Amino acid sequence: MKQNFIFVITLLTIFSIVNAFPRQFYKRDTIFNPCTTGSPDTITVTITPDPLVAGPNVFNVTGTLTNGTIDTGSELLIQLQDDAGEVIGEPFPFDICANVTCPATATTFSLQEEIQIDTLPEEYNIQVQINDADGNTLACATSTVPSA
Ligand SMILES: *[C@@H]1O[C@H](CO)[C@@H](O)[C@H](O)[C@H]1NC(C)=O
Ligand SMILES: *[C@@H]1O[C@H](CO)[C@@H](O)[C@H](O)[C@H]1NC(C)=O
Ligand SMILES: *[C@@H]1O[C@H](CO)[C@@H](O)[C@H](O)[C@H]1NC(C)=O
């Protein structure tokens, strides 16, 4: 009886140590790279949780734009795409001028935006773009899940 009790306590201790492992010890799964085209400026993208889940996800997009003008109608556009480049679900546009004083010709920005993903396939690409009001892409980052 007493041995059983000690055994349970030991197990509980092991579980709590494992649970206490800080999140940053896990590797980040999703690495964003500049898109092959349309990416004059580089942006840094991190996601929480990583990898994405069906449900709410927060994108943290930071960078400095040196080319083009951020004006009314400029957007941060987050999309999930399949291998053919078709959008999965809905695209997620965000008004940059809600966070950046517009117009701006050169600006450093930091955007944290939440998107709601309904269903997540096993394989997808994530594309994050900064587009000006005319639809020109000023910055673009992409990630393939699962990574090759
Ligand atoms: C800046 O933008 C212009 C017009 O969109 C484009 O022609 C040019 O190549 C861009 N410059 C760089 C360094 O990407
Ligand atoms: C967003 O990313 C930038 C650059 O990586 C970082 O400095 C900042 O702390 C991040 N913000 C949040 C809320 O995660
Ligand atoms: C950007 O704007 C959105 C919408 O107004 C707001 O919810 C968010 O907190 C802002 N983020 C930053 C970093 O200012």
Side-chain angles (χ1 to χ4, degrees), residues 72-131:
T72 307
S74 300
E75 64 179 7
L76 162 69
L77 184 63
I78 300 170
Q79 299 178 87
L80 302 188
Q81 299 177 346
D82 65 17
D83 274 347
E86 295 293 323
V87 178
I88 300 169
E90 296 290 314
F92 301 96
F94 297 96
D95 178 11
I96 300 182
C97 292
N99 298 88
V100 168
T101 306
C102 291
T105 46
T107 185
T108 298
F109 65 90
S110 176
L111 304 166
Q112 287 79 45
E113 303 289 2
E114 184 179 294
I115 69 168
Q116 181 74 32
I117 297 175
D118 294 331
T119 51
L120 199 58
E122 277 181 23
E123 296 181 15
Y124 53 91
N125 301 317
I126 311 168
Q127 195 172 79
V128 178
Q129 293 178 329
I130 306 287
N131 296 325

Side-chain angles (χ1 to χ4, degrees), residues 39-41 66-68 132 136-138:
S39 192
D41 284 315
T66 59
N67 197 15
D132 72 12
N136 300 312
T137 301
L138 306 178

